Amino acid sequence: MQSIYNPKEIEKKVQDYWFGNKSYEVVPNKNIEKFYCLSMFPYPSGNLHMGHVRNYTISDVLARYHRMLGKNVLHPIGWDAFGLPAENAAIDNNLSPNDWTISNIKNMREQLKSLGFSYDWSREISTCSEDYYKWEQWFFIQLFKKKLVYKKESLVNWDPVDKTVLANEQVIDGKGWRSGALVEKKKISQWFLKITEYSEELLQELKEIEEFWPDNVVTMQKNWIGKSNGAELYFDTTIDQNISIGVFTTRPDTIFGVTYIALAADHSIIENCNSSIKKFSEGILNSKDTRKTENKEINGIFTGLFAIHPITKKKLPIWIANYVLTGYGTGAIMGVPAHDTRDYDFAKKFNLEIIKVIDGGQKDNEVYTGNGKLINSKDFNNINSELASKSIIKYLEELNIGKAVSNYKLRDWGISRQRYWGCPIPIIYREDGEVMPVEQDELPIKLPQDVDFSKSGNPLDNHPTWKYTKCAKTGLNAVRETDTLDTFFESSWYQARFCSPNDTDNMIGEDANYWLPVDMYIGGIEHAVLHLLYARFFHKLLRDQKLLKTNEPFKKLITQGMVLKDGSKMSKSKGNTIDPKKLIDKYGADTVRLFVIFAAPVENSLEWSDHGVEGSYKFLNKLWNTGFVLNENKITPNEISTIDEKKLKIFVNKAIIKTNDDYCNRVSLNTVASTCMEILNNIQKCILSNNVSYATLFDSYVTLLKILNPITPHICKEISDSLNINDINNWPKIDEKYLTEDTMLLVIQVNGKVRKKVEIDANLNQNAIEEIIFTYDEVRKYTIDKNIKKIIYIKGKLVNIVVS
Ligand code: ANZ
């Protein structure tokens, strides 16, 4: 063993060994418990950043730990390789998005390797490869046949900077999630995936995982699905006997408080209105302001039309209001100003009647939105809100003018993008008007390579020849769909493809039923809604396609915190990034790994500290030096049994139990690292005091290496090779004997006089005790050169040396 820790040299050597031996390539084995550990795969932007390093170190540590328990661990990596940045880079630098992406992948692959991540590299996938997107096209066709994908003209969120449509999930506070531009409304024909058909399942099956997912993510999923229980009620109108207006309400108990009806700006009734009202509605629809209604100034217009209250038969004015959302519920509401804040504001602004029907002890002129006793509600007076809601629904159901319904906020997923660098949608528009999928044997529909990015708009649409084709069945002329798929489509099923990435006959092979669900999924909280919801949805689609057997893709989820510098997020735009590559060059991968694990609990944000990195490096040097010392000279005697020895054994054994719990149940990795630091300190103290046997020191050190092995695998392998430790990859065993501190106070007498009192191991036998007592100066002083006649030992209490 070399005397100096040289990470550069040993890390390269160890990595070559892992790679050369395919150490982390796995195949299914029904006799071994599996563990599928996955990090959210990276977008190949060019270089790894510290956020990647943190994310991938966490999953690598967990993968390595579970391997030490003897599990069959799948730990794959790949590239989420389609998307706008490649196209933008192509425009800026006159490069092909494909070349740009491939060269970025090459670079980042090397960086991942330099960190020693234990990936099964034989499973590497890239979503922009034809082998991958071919299956998306195949699946799109299956969904088309099942009518789970459809095209419709719709108002979309249009990002004027990226010149593309955005899904609702990609609009954050009215701005594009990538460009940050204020999102506009535009009407175009789009492909949609019917995620709404799975709303209830997406909600119900959360129950299978919510115990293992962070609470906030579960809540965000629930809120996004947004189930409301209520009723749909029908109001006749004075327009025509046959025209009624359906409203959705969560408060049927307030029916006697309805004083007007309000419609969303795209409601069909508006066709019956005059042109100035139609113009007003269009104004609302074209409003660029897509922010939530709460922030918008309330506005509306009276249509001149009336509805009839279903019970009181009173005439109710029909208004158009900007706070009634299009596409939610029925796009119409019953206005109850006394008990709904928005309705109250509206009624105040336009001088509409306010009728109090729920008594919750509120003052006059106060909106009360809670439950209470019904008043001014005829036969339903004095009944509690909840019961009244039920009775009123029942009453209206009997009259056939209402029914109980649930509504979901979740909207169908718009998957069309007017961009080049994505998966082409395998649809053709035939000259006879037929819209149909291509034949399966035409797949993949490849992206053309000769693309001109200098024109604005969709490069696929601009391509001179690509879109012109013929229908394979009829020979009729046709044009291809030039929209490509939203890149969230690719990241929704990669976890299943990793199970049989090279299968050329199936989208997902049988192996997926061995590996899935992912046992541990690690990624950023920014994916709490978008990616996780889509991936859950896809898993159910694939299950219903009989390709998978489980309901959920990710059993346990960990959302790691951000990496901060000086309190703010590390980002290129802030210019406060730390380049992982430079750090690895300077300190080695193990130091970087140890730092990101030790510096903070995985779910918390991690504040960057150069000092902390130095500290990690120092610790690894100390670890190395201790190994060197233990290897070179057996400093302490082999046969000795002291309190310190037992203390060290107890400490180490307890540490095994604690760190096992930290790794496995609590996923508290920073405390594993701190426990390792304590073990090393204890070992060093014992070496200095020279009163612990070599065997115990060595065993303790081996245990330390094993516990630390998942976090800093290079140094642990190199030291264990040097010290001939051959089971470094097995989790350490506990010695049950050393779990409790069992000591006694021994009184040592010489000829009946107390000469020393000492705390010693209660389990020592008489021989061991007789040996120990003569090591104390106080005892030796009275016994040296004396004739020892007898030693009397009273177990667990006292020893009397009789001398003459
Ligand atoms: C009458 C009422 C009285 C209401 C009351 C509330 C309180 P969630 O929980 O979000 O589902 N609503 C229905 N459709 C709407 C739309 N398209 N745009 C805006 N608001 C709409 O809310 C359901 C409630 O939101 C419904 O219950 C309706 O107002 C309103 F004291 O009906 B309520």
Side-chain angles (χ1 to χ4, degrees):
M1 188 170 172
Q2 287 182 9
S3 59
I4 306 279
Y5 171 46
N6 184 343
K8 229 190 171 107
E9 196 182 299
I10 65 170
E11 288 179 0
K12 171 87 180 59
K13 181 171 111 189
V14 169
Q15 284 161 16
D16 286 349
Y17 172 85
W18 289 331
F19 203 65
N21 283 280
K22 305 183 177 215
S23 298
Y24 304 110
E25 292 187 12
V26 282
V27 289
N29 181 341
K30 290 239 151 62
N31 302 318
I32 309 179
E33 187 186 344
K34 65 93 186 179
F35 187 82
Y36 185 175
C37 188
L38 185 67
S39 287
M40 292 178 184
F41 66 163
Y43 178 78
S45 54
N47 282 296
L48 285 190
H49 53 65
M50 283 315 297
H52 291 128
V53 173
R54 185 174 194 203
N55 189 168
Y56 302 145
T57 301
I58 293 168
S59 69
D60 192 57
V61 168
L62 293 171
R64 287 178 180 275
Y65 161 76
H66 284 275
R67 251 183 234 118
M68 288 180 82
L69 299 183
K71 294 182 194 171
N72 195 18
V73 175
L74 174 59
H75 187 216
I77 190 77
W79 310 97
D80 189 11
F82 272 139
L84 260 188
E87 211 164 320
N88 291 339
I91 298 165
D92 293 346
N93 310 320
N94 203 16
L95 273 170
S96 101
N98 191 52
D99 293 350
W100 184 83
T101 306
I102 287 178
S103 99
N104 286 350
I105 288 178
K106 193 163 164 268
N107 195 33
M108 288 172 79
R109 186 191 293 122
E110 285 318 304
Q111 293 176 350
L112 289 178
K113 283 186 179 164
S114 75
L115 278 154
F117 296 141
S118 59
Y119 295 128
D120 178 345
W121 284 103
S122 72
R123 292 173 187 265
E124 183 181 353
I125 53 181
S126 168
T127 58
C128 67
S129 82
E130 286 158 12
D131 305 340
Y132 188 86
Y133 71 69
K134 168 188 170 173
W135 291 112
E136 297 200 334
Q137 294 174 337
W138 175 83
F139 195 52
F140 182 96
I141 295 171
Q142 312 313 310
L143 296 175
F144 182 89
K145 287 179 184 161
K146 286 183 164 178
K147 299 199 165 43
L148 282 167
V149 57
Y150 64 95
K151 198 171 192 192
K152 78 166 184 216
E153 175 130 306
S154 67
L155 263 189
V156 295
N157 305 307
W158 180 256
D159 185 322
V161 169
D162 282 348
K163 292 205 172 50
T164 189
V165 171
L166 299 176
N168 287 338
E169 290 87 337
Q170 292 166 326
V171 180
I172 296 151
D173 294 334
K175 294 183 181 134
W177 70 298
R178 230 182 232 286
S179 70
L182 206 58
V183 169
E184 296 170 5
K185 290 283 178 195
K186 205 169 165 176
K187 208 165 196 175
I188 43 178
S189 197
Q190 299 286 304
W191 289 97
F192 285 86
L193 214 50
K194 262 196 200 158
I195 190 170
T196 51
E197 199 134 299
Y198 283 74
S199 303
E200 189 59 27
E201 270 185 68
L202 285 164
L203 194 63
Q204 288 309 321
E205 287 166 7
L206 271 177
K207 295 202 177 88
E208 292 185 19
I209 48 175
E210 60 190 350
E211 183 186 340
F212 311 107
W213 278 35
D215 290 344
N216 58 341
V217 178
V218 173
T219 306
M220 283 192 259
Q221 293 264 315
K222 282 185 185 162
N223 289 347
W224 195 265
I225 298 164
K227 183 176 182 178
S228 296
N229 294 320
E232 219 166 82
L233 312 181
Y234 307 101
F235 288 75
D236 285 339
T237 62
T238 55
I239 313 162
D240 183 311
Q241 269 187 332
N242 299 320
I243 299 180
S244 68
I245 297 174
V247 303
F248 172 67
T249 177
T250 46
R251 295 294 303 270
D253 56 320
T254 62
I255 184 132
F256 288 91
V258 179
T259 57
Y260 67 97
I261 296 291
L263 311 175
D266 68 344
H267 200 280
S268 59
I269 296 274
I270 298 170
E271 280 169 26
N272 302 293
C273 299
N274 67 32
S275 60
S276 69
I277 287 166
K278 282 182 185 158
K279 217 167 163 196
F280 181 88
S281 309
E282 276 161 26
I284 297 178
L285 289 178
N286 292 332
S287 148
K288 284 188 185 176
D289 190 356
T290 55
R291 278 175 302 166
K292 297 237 171 64
T293 46
E294 295 95 76
N295 307 331
K296 224 188 303 194
E297 192 184 340
I298 218 155
N299 199 5
I301 193 167
F302 175 49
T303 60
L305 309 170
F306 290 90
I308 298 161
H309 192 285
I311 303 176
T312 65
K313 305 297 176 199
K314 216 166 135 177
K315 264 172 85 182
L316 305 168
I318 302 175
W319 285 69
I320 294 166
N322 66 346
Y323 71 92
V324 183
L325 304 172
T326 63
Y328 183 66
T330 60
I333 62 147
M334 56 184 220
V336 185
H339 303 291
D340 180 280
T341 347
R342 293 160 306 175
D343 295 353
Y344 181 82
D345 294 344
F346 195 75
K348 278 280 174 205
K349 180 161 179 170
F350 295 108
N351 242 332
L352 298 164
E353 197 183 356
I354 300 174
I355 307 175
K356 198 163 134 181
V357 290
I358 307 288
D359 183 5
Q362 74 271 38
K363 295 189 201 105
D364 283 348
N365 290 329
E366 195 182 29
V367 200
Y368 176 69
T369 57
N371 286 342
K373 258 198 189 132
L374 267 66
I375 50 174
N376 299 325
S377 299
K378 299 207 164 150
D379 293 352
F380 298 93
N381 279 343
N382 283 322
I383 306 178
N384 249 325
S385 285
E386 279 175 23
L387 186 63
S389 279
K390 284 186 191 142
S391 313
I392 289 170
I393 292 174
K394 204 163 159 231
Y395 175 75
L396 297 172
E397 267 171 351
E398 276 161 14
L399 294 175
N400 227 352
I401 48 172
K403 60 176 189 233
V405 293
S406 295
N407 259 312
Y408 302 86
K409 294 247 156 54
L410 188 64
R411 297 279 74 102
D412 277 341
W413 174 14
I415 49 174
S416 280
R417 296 292 178 273
Q418 291 68 40
R419 308 302 312 182
Y420 163 74
W421 192 233
C423 170
I425 294 176
I427 289 286
I428 53 169
Y429 300 87
R430 229 164 49 184
E431 58 184 326
D432 61 356
E434 197 73 22
V435 180
M436 55 194 291
V438 303
E439 294 300 306
Q440 287 191 12
D441 59 12
E442 294 179 75
L443 299 181
I445 302 300
K446 296 181 190 173
L447 281 173
Q449 294 296 324
D450 53 335
V451 182
D452 179 5
F453 290 102
S454 60
K455 289 188 207 153
S456 78
N458 179 0
L460 273 186
D461 200 32
N462 293 339
H463 192 278
T465 55
W466 183 82
K467 67 180 174 188
Y468 302 104
T469 183
K470 282 194 186 318
C471 166
K473 261 193 196 152
T474 59
L476 287 175
N477 287 330
V479 286
R480 292 193 189 287
E481 174 58 79
T482 56
D483 286 354
T484 52
L485 292 172
D486 179 6
T487 58
F488 279 99
F489 208 91
E490 278 89 57
S491 53
S492 295
W493 67 286
Y494 76 114
Q495 70 283 354
R497 184 67 184 170
F498 271 138
C499 301
S500 50
N502 305 313
D503 195 329
T504 49
D505 301 327
N506 303 289
M507 177 179 185
I508 289 161
E510 188 43 42
D511 286 0
N513 287 319
Y514 171 80
W515 292 115
L516 287 172
V518 172
D519 294 278
M520 183 72 79
Y521 195 37
I522 303 140
I525 185 73
E526 66 273 22
H527 295 295
V529 181
L530 293 98
H531 162 60
L532 289 170
L533 191 71
Y534 294 151
R536 294 183 57 227
F537 167 49
F538 251 70
H539 194 94
K540 295 172 204 306
L541 289 173
L542 292 164
R543 175 201 61 196
D544 295 345
Q545 190 71 28
K546 305 270 181 293
L547 291 169
L548 294 175
K549 292 192 174 130
T550 45
N551 292 327
E552 290 286 332
F554 313 117
K555 190 166 162 202
K556 181 163 172 72
L557 174 74
I558 292 180
T559 48
Q560 99 270 1
M562 281 192 294
V563 181
L564 309 177
K565 180 125 183 279
D566 304 327
S568 61
K569 187 182 173 181
M570 261 191 201
S571 75
K572 263 194 196 149
S573 58
K574 291 205 186 82
N576 62 352
T577 53
I578 297 279
D579 181 4
K581 195 171 173 308
K582 281 195 189 135
L583 276 181
I584 298 166
D585 286 345
K586 184 165 175 198
Y587 298 102
D590 280 338
T591 292
V592 178
R593 294 171 60 117
L594 177 60
F595 171 71
V596 297
I597 292 298
F598 177 57
V602 289
E603 307 224 327
N604 291 16
S605 50
L606 183 161
E607 176 68 39
W608 188 261
S609 147
D610 293 332
H611 188 68
V613 180
E614 288 280 348
S616 297
Y617 185 61
K618 273 195 192 136
F619 169 77
L620 293 181
N621 272 287
K622 208 158 106 178
L623 180 75
W624 181 272
N625 296 341
T626 307
F628 182 76
V629 168
L630 287 175
N631 194 30
E632 295 299 308
N633 44 351
K634 305 192 170 176
I635 6 87
T636 46
N638 232 335
E639 288 303 326
I640 187 170
S641 187
T642 61
I643 292 287
D644 285 343
E645 171 138 17
K646 184 161 187 202
K647 275 197 176 147
L648 180 62
K649 283 190 173 176
I650 290 171
F651 189 85
V652 169
N653 271 284
K654 282 188 173 168
I656 299 173
I657 295 181
K658 179 188 170 288
T659 52
N660 193 45
D661 188 48
D662 286 352
Y663 271 129
C664 196
N665 304 322
R666 302 184 333 125
V667 195
S668 165
L669 305 181
N670 60 319
T671 57
V672 173
S674 58
T675 303
C676 288
M677 293 171 184
E678 284 181 66
I679 300 177
L680 185 60
N681 280 343
N682 281 340
I683 293 175
Q684 283 203 320
K685 262 194 231 150
C686 293
I687 291 177
L688 286 178
S689 63
N690 200 32
N691 61 355
V692 172
S693 73
Y694 180 76
T696 299
L697 288 175
F698 191 82
D699 286 352
S700 304
Y701 186 73
V702 172
T703 302
L704 166 62
L705 287 181
K706 288 182 176 179
I707 297 175
L708 200 55
N709 190 21
I711 303 175
T712 57
H714 308 86
I715 189 171
C716 291
K717 175 162 169 48
E718 180 62 18
I719 297 178
S720 63
D721 284 352
S722 305
L723 304 189
N724 290 319
I725 304 160
N726 48 29
D727 63 345
I728 184 74
N729 291 321
N730 299 338
W731 184 250
K733 291 200 176 63
I734 301 159
D735 188 343
E736 304 280 349
K737 284 206 298 290
Y738 295 105
L739 288 177
T740 52
E741 300 197 38
D742 198 0
T743 59
M744 62 176 181
L745 185 70
L746 183 74
V747 178
I748 308 171
Q749 298 177 336
V750 180
N751 286 345
K753 271 210 170 124
V754 176
R755 296 298 178 193
K756 185 165 177 76
K757 286 180 185 167
V758 62
E759 193 85 35
I760 65 159
D761 183 347
N763 298 313
L764 294 179
N765 62 22
Q766 190 166 351
N767 284 346
I769 286 174
E770 285 181 13
E771 224 168 275
I772 289 170
I773 51 180
F774 291 106
T775 62
Y776 301 117
D777 286 347
E778 299 91 328
V779 177
R780 280 226 298 275
K781 193 169 155 192
Y782 297 99
T783 55
I784 202 147
D785 299 333
K786 297 262 164 73
N787 178 22
I788 294 170
K789 288 170 82 176
K790 170 154 90 164
I791 296 174
I792 304 159
Y793 175 53
I794 300 168
K795 200 167 179 241
K797 281 193 184 138
L798 182 142
V799 62
N800 185 15
I801 310 163
V802 182
V803 296
S804 62

